[in-house]
């Protein structure tokens, strides 16, 4: 549908187009065909994508990708609430993980469009006690402070921790935040809406009743698009790509009863409001 729209209304797509507000383009899944992945995403009208980090080990790769695809890949550096300890073993983030990342964030601070991916993840296999939760909270609080110091928004993960995440962001005085792939109740999301936060919707909405309910209740003015590539695609166990941004947009269009063009225009304007550094690449 996005491709057909592009043919029918080239001017609109070329002037605006889509923004993928949360994507793991630095994942090894894309190492062999990154050029093709980027080209196919541009063909469906994607104008820019935000490359989020999970740990300090991939920061340099994200910066390199943003330099290789200038004005298209925009870097976000941050420490994810779940960290790999060894193959197949993960734990909640600790301040030591953030301390390793701080010098690289400082080095590239002028290049960043957001601090992320940051947040809380209270999935039982990652947190076994209150101390684990407190460690994650400390890491998020410090990154919220960094974001305020640098006048940058936060790109936020909140799995199994929707309400605690929103409450912590509000306590810290965070005004600019994107809650990606929010898995909580719509009523909890509306607390974030009242705080002025945005929510990005991945292509997995086509198979997620929770995401569908969420989009029904969220105002379009608080919705952004994301793919979370290579995860959260329209099909389970199939590599997701930024080109599937169309899937999110089309489903939102259906749920909200508005045109695909309206979804494109509003979500892109939302992205520009939240991530003003994108304006250098996108001129509606």
């Amino acid at each position: 549908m996005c491709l057909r729209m592009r043919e029918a209304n080239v001017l609109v797509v070329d002037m605006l187009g889509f923004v993928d507000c949360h994507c793991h383009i630095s994942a090894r899944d894309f190492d062999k065909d990154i050029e093709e992945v980027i080209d196919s995403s541009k063909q469906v009208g994607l104008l820019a994508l935000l490359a989020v980090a999970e740990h300090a080990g991939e920061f340099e790769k994200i910066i390199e990708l943003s330099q290789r695809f200038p004005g298209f890949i925009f870097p976000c550096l941050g420490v994810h609430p779940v960290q790999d300890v060894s193959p197949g073993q993960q734990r909640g983030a600790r301040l030591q993980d953030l301390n390793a990342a701080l010098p690289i964030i400082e080095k590239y601070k002028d290049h960043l469009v957001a601090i992320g991916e940051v947040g809380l993840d209270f999935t039982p296999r990652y947190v076994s006690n209150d101390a684990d939760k407190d460690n994650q909270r400390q890491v998020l609080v410090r990154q919220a402070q960094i974001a305020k110091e640098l006048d940058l928004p936060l790109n936020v993960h909140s799995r199994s921790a929707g309400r605690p995440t929103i409450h912590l962001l509000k306590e810290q005085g965070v005004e600019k935040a994107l809650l990606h792939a929010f898995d909580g109740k719509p009523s909890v999301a509306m607390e974030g809406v009242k705080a002025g936060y945005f929510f990005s919707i991945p292509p997995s909405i086509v198979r997620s009743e929770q995401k569908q309910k969420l989009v029904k209740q969220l105002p379009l003015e608080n919705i952004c698009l994301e793919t979370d590539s290579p995860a959260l695609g329209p099909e389970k166990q199939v590599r997701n790509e930024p080109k599937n941004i169309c899937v999110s947009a089309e489903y939102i269009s259906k749920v909200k009863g508005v045109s695909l063009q309206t979804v494109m225009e509003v979500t892109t304007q939302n992205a520009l409001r939240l991530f003003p550094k994108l304006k250098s690449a996108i001129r509606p």
Side-chain angles (χ1 to χ4, degrees), residues 44-64:
V44 302
L46 192 68
L47 292 182
L49 65 82
L50 275 67
V52 294
E54 294 189 341
H55 54 84
E58 63 182 328
F59 284 9
E60 296 283 357
K61 185 176 182 180
I62 286 173
I63 295 297
E64 286 168 9

Side-chain angles (χ1 to χ4, degrees), residues 136-256:
Q136 285 192 27
R137 286 192 185 98
Q138 289 174 27
V139 173
L140 177 54
V141 165
R142 181 71 190 103
Q143 293 190 101
Q145 291 169 347
I146 292 167
K148 282 199 281 187
E149 289 163 11
L150 298 178
D151 192 25
L152 290 173
L154 288 174
N155 208 315
V156 183
H157 173 107
S158 57
R159 187 164 51 196
S160 301
R163 183 172 272 120
T165 303
I166 289 172
H167 286 182
L168 189 148
L169 295 176
K170 288 164 66 176
E171 284 169 11
Q172 293 301 311
V174 172
E175 296 179 356
K176 299 177 289 184
L178 177 81
L179 287 117
H180 106 92
F182 191 77
D183 69 355
K185 294 178 181 177
S187 58
V188 177
M190 293 308 289
E191 294 180 36
V193 168
K194 287 175 186 171
Y197 302 153
F198 293 84
F199 293 78
S200 53
I201 308 300
S204 60
I205 186 174
V206 300
R207 54 184 173 86
S208 168
E209 188 178 346
Q210 179 267 336
K211 296 282 184 294
Q212 293 163 17
K213 288 179 178 175
L214 184 66
V215 164
K216 276 180 188 172
Q217 193 152 338
L218 285 172
L220 190 56
E221 290 70 27
N222 291 82
I223 293 177
C224 291
L225 304 177
E226 69 159 289
T227 61
D228 199 32
S229 304
L232 298 189
E235 299 173 87
K236 275 188 175 181
Q237 310 303 323
V238 176
R239 183 184 77 167
N240 189 18
E241 295 184 23
K243 69 179 181 183
N244 288 328
I245 201 78
C246 280
V247 175
S248 297
E250 287 163 2
Y251 207 94
I252 292 167
S253 164
K254 187 170 110 180
V255 170
K256 297 305 244 182

